[in-house]
Amino acid sequence: MLDRMHILVCGGAECKQSNSVALRDKFNSEIKRLNLGDDIKTLLTGCFGLCALGPHVLIYPGETLYSGVKLDDIPEIVEQHIANGKPVDRLLFKGEFDRKKFRNRSELTFFARQKRIALRNCGVINPLKINEYIARNGYEALGKVVTTMTREETINEVKKSGLRGRGGGGFPAGLKWEFAKNSISDQKYVICNADEGDPGAFMDRAVLEGDPHSVLEAMAICGYAIGASIGYIYIRAEYPVAVKRLDIAIKQAEELGLLGNNIFDSGFNFKIEIRLGAGAFVCGEETALIASIEGERGMPRKKPPFPAVRGLFGKPTNVNNVETFANVPVIFLKGADWFKAIGTEKSSGTKVFALGGKIANTGLLEVPMGTTLREVIYEIGGGIPNKREFKAAQTGGPSGGCITADSLDTPIDFDNLIALGSMMGSGGMIVMDEDNCMVDVARFYLEFTVEESCGKCTPCREGTKRMLDILNRICEGEGTLEDLDMLENLAYMIKDSSLCGLGQTAPNPVLSTLKHFRDEYEAHVIDKVCPAGVCSNLTNYVVLENCIGCTKCSRNCPVGAIEGKVKEKHFIDLNACIRCGVCKTVCPVNAISTKPEHWEVA
Amino acid sequence: MFNLVNLTIDGVQLSVPADFTVMKAADSIGISVPRLCFLEGIHEESNCRVCIVKIKGQNGLKTSCSTKVIEGMEVYTDTKEVFDAVSFNLELLAGNHKFECWKCSRENSCEFLDLLRRFNVDNDFSNAKLFDQKEIKINNTSDSMILDSSKCVLCGRCVSACEKLSGLGILNFSNRGSKTYIGPAQFHNLEDAGCIYCGKCIQACPTGAIREKDEIKSLERALRDTSKTIVVQVAPSVRAALGEEFGYKIGTNVEGQMFAALKELGIHEIIDTNFTADLTIIEEGHEFINRVQNGGTLPMFTSCSPGWVNYLELYYPEYIPNLSSCKSPQQMAGALIKTYYAKKLNKKPEEIYSVSIMPCVAKKSEAKRPGMGRDGYKDVDLVLTTRELARIIRHRGIPFKDLDPIRPFGDLASYTGAASIFGASGGVMEAALRTVTEILEGHSTPVEFNEIRGLKDIKEATYTVAGMDVNVAVVHGGAAIKEFFKLLKTTDKQYHFVEIMGCTGGCINGGGQPIVSAINQEKYDVRALRTKVLYNIDHNTEFRKSHENPAIKMIYDDFLGKPSSHKAHELLHTVYKERKYYDVK
Amino acid sequence: MKTLVELKALREKSYKEMYLHGVTNGVRIQVGYGTCGIAAGAKPVYEAFLSEINSLKLDNVEVTQVGCMGECAFEPIVEVLESNGSKTIYCLVTDRIASEIVEEHIVKGNRIDKYLLSKIKR
């Protein structure tokens, strides 16, 4: 169950200065006295580092920080703020709160551990009203950049921030901008890659639907820095709400003169147009995206030349992901140093994750780089539902790999995930439990890449298809041990010799699951058994002891393979059973299992 | 790009210009990296992944065709890792290939087969029990060419060749992933897809996926049909390239052996298309003079290239009045064969089986055009490309290199130098000028017109003839045709006579000529070498102007009467019609 | 807009209009209107709020659409911001619950615990 509120008292038990223990106890007793419920937790936390003004109390949600809190203040805080939601103004901390100094390792809520930078305005402003964006300091960064900063200074600020591409590549954004700036041409372009094709990823969609102006402002800043006057947003047609809101946002920005000619009277011109994708995952690859805008078939092109040198229509072009752009205005508002201080040494800032799969709190969350997987999955994500065990978390979508339980304490950042055999990708994170078959998972991702491969280069076009042929046979019970070797060899060859990122990363889910769950593969090919009970040819359906004899399964079985009298344990005839899974789905008491350990029961 | 870069390839140190790719650098020291999709200047997309090499310090394997050399680079082209990866890629391609090498049009010129041999590739992916078999798509309703996906390696060279050399872009990738195939949009029938049959795609294809419609069997059957007398004509360009199929260097004249081989095949009646080339000049020359003197439509365009005629009918039908009404030499010869020659042989036209050997695939459909025959028979019954001739010679086991050269004698076999240069871009124009200038000036005029020779896309010149400035132009290749019409529509200059060829370089580079591999296309200037053969023949021929050919005088005296006579019009001239493509009802 | 000064003026004016953090009096009701919210049924919720506010003639209450708040599993989500700085998040809201929220919370000032995001039992 999610806690309703967290009250964090600084100092920890060791601190002599803060009487944090007494403060905590007083909070608890007041809360109990007013009967406010046991979903309000008071916790001792680490040192805030603001000792001169302490002790501090931080209340979530809302990140309300009180300083100089005395024991006598607590009843007022509890009655006014905790019970009635009204912060106590006189106790509010009046200075700048440096997040980095706050080392909090104890239990945290969904909101506490999050740091919404890219999502700062999502769920806060009405995306159809430019004034609300402006109210939250919108377009101030652009104004500052074009009126007081040179192009070099602008790029240096982005470089200093350490911002890395959020679309999957993780390439330093400032460096990318610099390449484009250094190319000499009469025309340059900025492109926002809003093609977001990873299955299960919707981070970019949230930003585009909830805060479109942040992207527009960032693109204009980029245009200024590299010397481009035209920007394109390439957005997948499957996001009609986002397309519409972007369209309105562009028009509103143009009306106010924030896009168009002579922005802020600086002589800088920048206009943005929208281009729709047409249902091809591969068009998320920057050169394929460029080809698509040019009206060509969306197939990647060899690099070099890189888009920064020769891109759209042969001109220098900078392509960045939506989330990368969403971070840019904040870097100029709060400073590159502020941004660099968040996250880890080599991966600064935050990352938005789309949490899905077997997890209690599915949805979007944004955390500083360096947050561990355990924190994301258990603290913020709420853990695995239905009392199941965690098995693996897939990051990076069809380009990524799975992370197992023994790596849950890895701090999330670009390099750590690659070291684990996965990658950050765009931020999709799918959690799997013991009911997921990892061979089937690999097959699912490979089916996707086989479908989406553009067909231009041999290894991806032919190789991934052959890998899929093999996986299909394995899941149907016709695989051999030699197939596993062939799978691995094909995988490494495809990784080594494919033309673009799609092919180079398509084998990752297979390689990753082979590495961490080889026993499952071997069960499929040697024992012809699917341990997770997913692959229908390799599993048996069995009625367990807790059957209540409601007859729902036998009534729904399409082939009449289940026998049993009312209120008596039912029985499945495995010769007639076609493994369709309907019985398991309709059983109201989870009395039908496919797990191999239950097969003897029958 | 003057700096030199030092690098090491397979342990060998070398210095090459900084703009060299690793592949080119390796080639320069005799290390030939395997390649499949690379076609210099036409297709450089690095998509086959066969030319991959290991570069020290870089992850994975990199394509040598796209990687520029860098100072200090260490390249390994043949490690076990590279060998295994290339073999794997080739094996993946083999899995989709329908191997029919013994009867394939590329039996001795298949770049894919060469690679499979080089790497001793297995063929495990062709096992239908273990791996899905790809759907085969065949486009074979046209008279000239076949697209066959079962041989396609999806290199994309044909797509680029059609786009860059013919300026049309008829072919492209369709579908996606493992279902990708190449063809016209919607895989429409080629004959309705706007294709002009220039065959540049065939010349670019490394396998038999795009090929001429193979009609060798028709000749074999006809040879065994006792009711037919076979008469064969051979185009000017065939003799300049046929030798390449038998190991001769590019640019060798094998005219004598070519005729000897035809005789060995069992063909007794052999004539030379060069003869009707001369005839074409007479007819066309008179047509031109007539237009100039009587206010006819100018400029006049030549009409002997069916690829060009297709282009005009499809894309510039408004210029049909500008086309010369003359048939091509092939069709003029066919008409004479079925009438004049048949009578000489004492045979009825239906008893004659008229065959032509051409450097061209478009000629196969030209022969089937309406008006190319009469009374229910066609003037040319069968067109074989140079390649098909070579195949039938090879299959029969005829030792081409050992044959004694012969020359066919007879009325329809003698030619002038003007005729022999028809196969070169500018040749038809030069031949016409030699005759037209002499007729109009009334006295002997120069033989050679160098301004219109050579490989420039659009060549222009002005010659003063009988007091008039005649503006001529010579255009070759679809892309150049496109440019020329842009020019024509915007210029004030009045052109009078324009030679247009569907193939860049002219017929010597036709779609039916021997295939030159991608590597050799880089090494040799094929067009220039073959063209030289024709100008050499011209130089060494007794008569060099069409109207000087005694046999020409004879054919008019004996049969046709005079140029543009009623009979000449009936047999030697034709009409054109606008054509639509993708005309879906 | 040609200068940063103009932008600043617009910012301050807009900020006041947004009813944030007790700067002005009034209530701001935010309905999550990303595709996730719309798919879960945010439209009838939004319309219910509008209709209730209008019929009760509550002039100091603004209903607005916002983007995705992140707790997508519990959409439709509604956040109520009051001038004293308090923020309340309701989840799994329906049009009926929307009316209830107006009556109980907006008019009478009582939070409805059972619809709170933090009270959700899994």
Side-chain angles (χ1 to χ4, degrees):
Chain A
M1 202 190 74
L2 246 166
D3 289 331
R4 179 148 60 99
M5 257 183 166
H6 273 188
I7 303 166
L8 298 147
V9 183
C10 83
E14 312 84 44
C15 178
K16 303 285 188 318
Q17 178 142 359
S18 155
N19 53 343
S20 48
V21 177
L23 290 172
R24 179 200 57 195
D25 292 343
K26 184 77 183 185
F27 268 114
N28 281 339
S29 66
E30 282 298 301
I31 288 168
K32 195 156 176 193
R33 185 175 70 81
L34 293 179
N35 230 333
L36 295 176
D38 52 16
D39 54 356
I40 302 178
K41 298 252 183 356
T42 311
L43 309 154
L44 297 182
T45 181
C47 176
F48 283 41
L50 306 153
C51 307
L53 300 163
H56 303 277
V57 172
L58 182 62
I59 302 194
Y60 284 103
E63 217 173 279
T64 311
L65 180 62
Y66 295 118
S67 52
V69 176
K70 302 192 198 51
L71 263 176
D72 294 334
D73 295 323
I74 291 177
E76 191 185 351
I77 295 176
V78 174
E79 198 198 301
Q80 207 179 311
H81 186 156
I82 313 292
N84 288 307
K86 292 187 229 180
V88 179
D89 197 68
R90 66 178 177 82
L91 288 168
L92 285 176
F93 176 69
K94 301 289 193 283
E96 265 304 322
F97 181 30
D98 182 359
R99 198 69 181 70
K100 179 105 176 163
K101 293 211 177 101
F102 174 50
R103 300 179 303 272
N104 184 346
R105 292 216 180 286
S106 46
E107 301 93 283
L108 305 150
T109 66
F110 184 85
F111 299 105
R113 207 42 179 142
Q114 287 198 55
K115 181 147 192 83
R116 291 164 80 86
I117 297 179
L119 299 178
R120 62 191 175 282
N121 290 326
C122 291
V124 178
I125 65 167
N126 182 340
L128 297 171
K129 290 192 177 160
I130 188 174
N131 286 6
E132 295 203 3
Y133 182 68
I134 289 174
R136 303 257 301 168
N137 302 95
Y139 289 104
E140 194 182 309
L142 176 63
K144 178 174 160 198
V145 163
V146 305
T147 57
T148 66
M149 294 172 75
T150 65
R151 292 165 59 193
E152 286 76 16
E153 285 168 345
T154 309
I155 290 183
N156 281 337
E157 193 73 0
V158 179
K159 280 168 85 173
K160 209 162 47 141
S161 74
L163 175 68
R164 288 169 71 167
R166 297 291 193 255
F171 191 84
L175 211 54
K176 214 177 189 189
W177 289 24
E178 195 170 54
F179 292 144
K181 171 183 165 291
N182 289 341
S183 296
I184 301 179
S185 173
D186 56 335
Q187 178 68 60
K188 297 186 192 175
Y189 298 101
V190 175
I191 293 181
C192 173
N193 185 346
D195 194 52
E196 193 166 55
D198 280 4
F202 54 104
M203 305 73 58
D204 294 348
R205 171 167 68 68
V207 171
L208 293 166
E209 290 177 347
D211 191 14
H213 284 283
S214 65
V215 172
L216 304 181
E217 185 180 1
M219 286 174 73
I221 292 174
C222 178
Y224 176 80
I226 71 171
S229 60
I230 299 178
Y232 289 102
I233 301 178
Y234 186 86
I235 176 169
R236 60 184 306 191
E238 295 92 325
Y239 283 172
V241 173
V243 171
K244 184 148 149 238
R245 291 186 186 171
L246 273 170
D247 201 36
I248 292 172
I250 291 173
K251 288 192 173 69
Q252 289 181 346
E254 283 172 347
E255 265 162 37
L256 283 181
L258 297 163
L259 285 177
N261 288 335
N262 199 15
I263 297 172
F264 285 112
D265 223 10
S266 64
F268 168 59
N269 305 334
F270 194 74
K271 70 166 187 175
I272 297 179
E273 285 181 30
I274 297 176
R275 290 289 182 271
L276 295 185
F281 173 71
V282 71
C283 284
E285 198 279 338
E286 61 181 3
T287 57
L289 190 159
I290 286 172
S292 177
I293 296 181
E294 290 176 356
E296 300 281 330
R297 183 179 148 98
M299 296 196 297
R301 297 170 174 165
K302 62 183 185 187
K303 296 194 274 202
F306 288 88
V309 172
R310 195 159 79 229
L312 184 63
F313 304 122
K315 307 290 184 188
T317 305
N318 179 65
V319 184
N320 273 128
N321 167 269
V322 169
E323 193 185 329
T324 314
F325 275 131
N327 280 294
V328 167
V330 189
I331 289 173
F332 287 94
L333 285 175
K334 299 211 170 150
D337 290 332
W338 168 86
F339 190 85
K340 186 91 177 79
I342 302 167
T344 67
E345 178 63 40
K346 293 220 187 103
S347 306
S348 55
T350 58
K351 182 75 191 79
V352 180
F353 287 102
L355 207 52
K358 309 288 179 69
I359 191 97
N361 298 342
T362 55
L364 282 188
L365 52 108
E366 185 174 358
V367 289
M369 299 279 195
T371 308
T372 67
L373 281 151
R374 192 182 298 280
E375 285 167 322
V376 169
I377 291 171
Y378 289 101
E379 316 295 355
I380 306 172
I384 320 292
N386 295 330
K387 300 197 186 59
R388 291 287 192 268
E389 284 289 313
F390 171 84
K391 191 167 186 183
Q394 170 89 1
T395 63
S399 305
C402 56
I403 297 159
T404 47
D406 49 7
S407 304
L408 279 177
D409 291 304
T410 311
I412 300 174
D413 76 1
F414 286 104
D415 308 294
N416 283 350
L417 288 180
I418 292 179
L420 286 177
S422 179
M423 61 189 268
M424 183 84 70
S426 59
M429 192 186 291
I430 311 287
V431 181
M432 293 157 202
D433 67 12
E434 64 215 61
D435 288 337
N436 287 101
C437 168
M438 298 315 283
V439 184
D440 183 61
V441 164
R443 176 171 65 157
F444 164 77
Y445 281 117
L446 202 54
E447 241 169 27
F448 178 78
T449 29
V450 165
E451 172 69 29
E452 296 293 333
S453 165
C454 76
K456 182 169 177 175
C457 79
T458 311
C460 175
R461 178 186 73 239
E462 310 291 349
T464 57
K465 173 77 175 92
R466 294 318 181 196
M467 283 180 73
L468 183 61
D469 285 344
I470 294 173
L471 273 174
N472 280 334
R473 275 191 293 108
I474 291 176
C475 289
E476 275 152 35
E478 288 158 33
T480 63
L481 263 181
E482 287 75 33
D483 280 332
L484 297 188
D485 291 333
M486 169 76 95
L487 212 52
E488 221 165 347
N489 290 337
L490 269 172
Y492 283 118
M493 187 279 295
I494 295 168
K495 268 183 81 71
D496 272 350
S497 54
S498 288
L499 174 64
C500 84
L502 193 158
Q504 288 157 7
T505 59
N508 284 348
V510 175
L511 283 173
S512 176
T513 50
L514 262 174
K515 176 168 160 207
H516 294 293
F517 298 98
R518 197 179 179 92
D519 52 323
E520 253 180 279
Y521 278 88
E522 287 180 354
H524 280 70
V525 303
I526 301 176
D527 307 319
K528 308 293 187 211
V529 164
C530 174
V534 169
C535 301
S536 50
N537 277 10
L538 306 181
T539 194
N540 291 320
Y541 282 76
V542 163
V543 180
L544 300 176
E545 288 304 317
N546 59 320
C547 167
I548 58 172
C550 71
T551 76
K552 208 161 177 205
C553 58
S554 59
R555 277 181 283 127
N556 280 285
C557 175
V559 295
I562 309 182
E563 272 175 14
K565 298 204 190 63
V566 177
K567 292 232 176 36
E568 281 179 23
K569 179 165 171 243
H570 278 49
F571 171 75
I572 299 174
D573 177 1
L574 287 173
N575 287 324
C577 172
I578 58 168
R579 281 55 172 181
C580 69
V582 173
C583 54
K584 190 170 173 196
T585 314
V586 303
C587 176
V589 295
N590 278 330
I592 299 194
S593 166
T594 50
K595 292 282 165 61
E597 56 260 34
H598 293 142
W599 294 357
E600 264 64 73
V601 176
Chain B
M1 294 294 158
F2 303 111
N3 335 359
L4 286 182
V5 163
N6 304 302
L7 69 155
T8 318
I9 300 181
D10 293 345
V12 177
Q13 289 185 329
L14 64 153
S15 289
V16 293
D19 64 340
F20 266 35
T21 59
V22 171
M23 178 188 271
K24 199 160 179 179
D27 279 341
S28 74
I29 53 168
I31 296 178
S32 183
V33 172
R35 69 208 70 177
L36 188 54
C37 74
F38 185 75
L39 192 56
E40 194 178 51
I42 296 176
H43 189 85
E44 298 182 14
E45 297 289 314
S46 312
N47 54 295
C48 69
R49 320 307 284 182
V50 169
C51 72
I52 46 181
V53 295
K54 181 75 192 165
I55 300 179
K56 184 162 175 201
Q58 293 190 24
N59 279 339
L61 301 169
K62 299 285 188 272
T63 45
S64 54
C65 64
S66 65
T67 309
K68 290 251 161 67
V69 294
I70 292 178
E71 182 70 29
M73 206 182 228
E74 260 181 71
V75 179
Y76 299 96
T77 71
D78 210 9
T79 63
K80 181 169 186 312
E81 182 194 359
V82 172
F83 186 89
D84 284 346
V86 177
S87 301
F88 232 144
N89 273 317
L90 292 171
E91 191 175 346
L92 285 168
L93 289 171
N96 289 329
H97 202 92
K98 186 172 174 205
F99 289 97
E100 299 175 301
C101 307
W102 75 93
K103 60 172 183 160
C104 180
S105 64
R106 301 293 285 265
E107 59 185 13
N108 69 334
S109 60
C110 179
E111 293 180 44
F112 183 49
L113 186 57
D114 287 343
L115 285 166
L116 294 173
R117 286 189 177 119
R118 180 171 168 178
F119 286 86
N120 274 306
V121 174
D122 292 317
N123 199 5
D124 293 342
F125 296 113
S126 61
N127 185 341
K129 290 206 195 85
L130 300 178
F131 297 101
D132 280 356
Q133 298 302 296
K134 193 170 176 179
E135 181 199 345
I136 296 177
K137 292 188 92 71
I138 304 223
N139 201 313
N140 62 355
T141 50
S142 96
D143 295 320
S144 291
M145 282 167 33
I146 294 179
L147 309 178
D148 177 3
S149 76
S150 75
K151 312 258 181 313
C152 180
V153 293
L154 290 159
C155 65
R157 281 168 28 175
C158 57
V159 175
S160 298
C162 187
E163 194 189 310
K164 297 204 173 90
L165 297 174
S166 63
L168 291 175
I170 302 294
L171 300 170
N172 211 335
F173 290 81
S174 289
N175 267 355
R176 192 163 77 192
S178 54
K179 298 201 180 80
T180 310
Y181 66 88
I182 291 185
Q186 305 297 314
F187 210 62
H188 211 64
N189 286 343
L190 202 55
E191 64 270 21
D192 295 324
C195 172
I196 62 171
Y197 299 141
C198 68
K200 296 293 140 279
C201 51
I202 300 180
Q203 291 167 279
C205 182
T207 68
I210 308 188
R211 55 183 185 264
E212 65 278 12
K213 188 161 177 216
D214 191 315
E215 300 184 275
I216 294 175
K217 266 214 180 105
S218 300
L219 178 60
E220 291 283 34
R221 281 196 204 103
L223 282 166
R224 288 158 183 80
D225 185 347
T226 49
S227 70
K228 297 268 194 231
T229 304
I230 304 195
V231 182
V232 172
Q233 54 163 306
V234 194
S237 302
V238 179
R239 68 209 73 195
L242 181 64
E244 295 164 32
E245 292 271 351
F246 299 99
Y248 285 105
K249 276 195 352 230
I250 302 178
T252 310
N253 180 6
V254 295
E255 185 188 272
Q257 286 152 302
M258 176 183 79
F259 286 122
L262 285 169
K263 193 145 168 264
E264 286 295 311
L265 283 169
I267 296 161
H268 303 294
E269 305 296 341
I270 304 172
I271 70 165
D272 201 332
T273 318
N274 285 16
F275 167 73
T276 38
D278 278 329
L279 186 61
T280 305
I281 290 299
I282 307 301
E283 288 294 319
E284 199 157 331
H286 278 86
E287 183 188 4
F288 176 63
I289 293 171
N290 184 29
R291 288 195 193 196
V292 169
Q293 289 174 342
N294 296 318
T297 313
L298 291 176
M300 187 170 96
F301 297 146
T302 58
S303 57
C304 46
S305 163
W308 148 238
V309 170
N310 288 340
Y311 202 113
L312 182 126
E313 286 182 327
L314 285 164
Y315 300 106
Y316 301 105
E318 66 269 28
Y319 283 94
I320 285 179
N322 297 62
L323 259 184
S324 157
S325 59
C326 289
K327 289 181 180 175
S328 66
Q330 166 181 282
Q331 294 305 133
M332 287 196 185
L336 288 180
I337 287 172
K338 294 277 178 128
T339 54
Y340 175 80
Y341 204 68
K343 240 206 216 108
K344 278 250 159 128
L345 294 174
N346 219 344
K347 301 273 178 191
K348 295 206 257 316
E350 303 76 42
E351 290 170 309
I352 304 284
Y353 191 74
S354 148
V355 181
S356 73
I357 315 288
M358 292 285 142
C360 174
V361 284
K363 290 278 177 200
K364 286 185 188 263
S365 75
E366 185 191 42
K368 297 201 159 88
R369 284 173 70 100
M372 301 302 184
R374 67 207 60 75
D375 300 335
Y377 65 80
K378 282 277 187 259
D379 284 335
V380 178
D381 295 300
L382 177 70
V383 177
L384 293 181
T385 57
T386 314
R387 293 191 295 266
E388 285 163 279
L389 177 62
R391 282 207 294 284
I392 193 174
I393 293 171
R394 250 197 314 270
H395 292 177
R396 289 278 205 93
I398 296 170
F400 187 85
K401 277 189 142 170
D402 299 333
L403 294 173
D404 287 324
I406 64 166
R407 261 248 82 213
F409 299 107
D411 310 322
L412 306 187
S414 64
Y415 60 84
T416 69
S420 66
I421 61 174
F422 257 55
S425 163
V428 176
M429 178 60 69
E430 185 165 341
L433 286 169
R434 290 180 190 179
T435 293
V436 167
T437 53
E438 199 158 287
I439 292 177
L440 287 177
E441 290 277 332
H443 58 80
S444 183
T445 48
V447 177
E448 295 187 359
F449 294 80
N450 286 303
E451 299 76 21
I452 51 174
R453 296 188 181 189
L455 293 170
K456 192 150 157 265
D457 280 357
I458 300 175
K459 298 169 274 186
E460 297 189 43
T462 305
Y463 300 106
T464 316
V465 187
M468 176 180 136
D469 275 348
V470 179
N471 294 326
V472 305
V474 173
V475 182
H476 52 120
I481 295 176
K482 216 167 169 180
E483 284 311 304
F484 179 70
F485 275 94
K486 269 197 214 136
L487 178 65
L488 197 62
K489 292 189 184 202
T490 53
T491 188
D492 291 328
K493 182 171 177 180
Q494 173 66 57
Y495 290 92
H496 300 101
F497 198 3
V498 184
E499 175 205 292
I500 307 187
M501 293 293 152
C503 292
T504 155
C507 311
I508 45 97
N509 192 35
Q513 291 285 64
I515 300 289
V516 181
S517 72
I519 291 183
N520 283 344
Q521 283 187 44
E522 262 180 69
K523 260 200 201 147
Y524 304 106
D525 189 345
V526 176
R527 294 178 302 169
L529 288 167
R530 290 179 184 166
T531 301
K532 201 144 175 271
V533 171
L534 301 185
Y535 286 114
N536 281 342
I537 295 176
D538 170 37
H539 207 77
N540 295 319
T541 307
E542 186 189 348
F543 298 113
R544 299 184 68 192
K545 301 181 188 182
S546 300
H547 55 277
E548 293 172 345
N549 187 341
I552 291 291
K553 293 194 195 119
M554 179 223 46
I555 198 87
Y556 278 105
D557 290 340
D558 272 7
F559 189 61
L560 294 169
K562 57 182 182 33
S564 289
S565 70
H566 181 76
K567 195 157 202 170
H569 262 279
E570 201 190 288
L571 294 177
L572 310 177
H573 290 252
T574 185
V575 294
Y576 308 97
K577 209 170 72 153
E578 177 183 2
R579 276 167 55 196
K580 297 225 188 273
Y581 52 101
Y582 278 96
D583 207 11
V584 182
K585 299 269 180 289
Chain C
M1 170 148 357
K2 280 298 158 196
T3 62
L4 279 171
V5 172
E6 284 175 60
L7 183 67
K8 186 163 178 228
L10 183 55
R11 175 169 82 239
E12 281 168 8
K13 173 167 167 283
S14 306
Y15 192 78
K16 289 198 175 95
E17 283 169 7
M18 266 178 86
Y19 301 173
L20 278 184
H21 294 302
V23 176
T24 60
N25 62 12
V27 180
R28 178 176 160 100
I29 301 176
Q30 298 181 166
V31 181
Y33 232 71
T35 297
C36 40
I38 297 171
K43 188 159 186 271
V45 169
Y46 180 70
E47 286 168 351
F49 273 115
L50 280 179
S51 125
E52 277 290 310
I53 304 292
N54 282 337
S55 69
L56 293 176
K57 296 203 185 356
L58 300 171
D59 293 329
N60 65 331
V61 178
E62 187 202 8
V63 188
T64 190
Q65 302 171 355
V66 296
C68 167
M69 279 183 240
E71 277 277 49
C72 307
F74 305 101
E75 299 270 12
I77 293 206
V78 169
E79 189 169 7
V80 178
L81 297 114
E82 295 168 88
S83 53
N84 56 15
S86 83
K87 300 180 190 179
T88 313
I89 302 180
Y90 292 106
C91 65
L92 296 172
V93 180
T94 63
D95 48 359
R96 193 186 54 76
I97 295 176
S99 308
E100 232 182 288
I101 290 173
V102 175
E103 277 172 37
E104 270 304 308
H105 186 150
I106 308 298
V107 175
K108 295 187 190 157
N110 303 325
R111 267 183 182 167
I112 314 173
D113 275 5
K114 62 179 168 178
Y115 301 132
L116 289 181
L117 176 63
S118 54
K119 286 286 186 185
I120 284 298
K121 296 261 190 291
R122 309 291 150 84

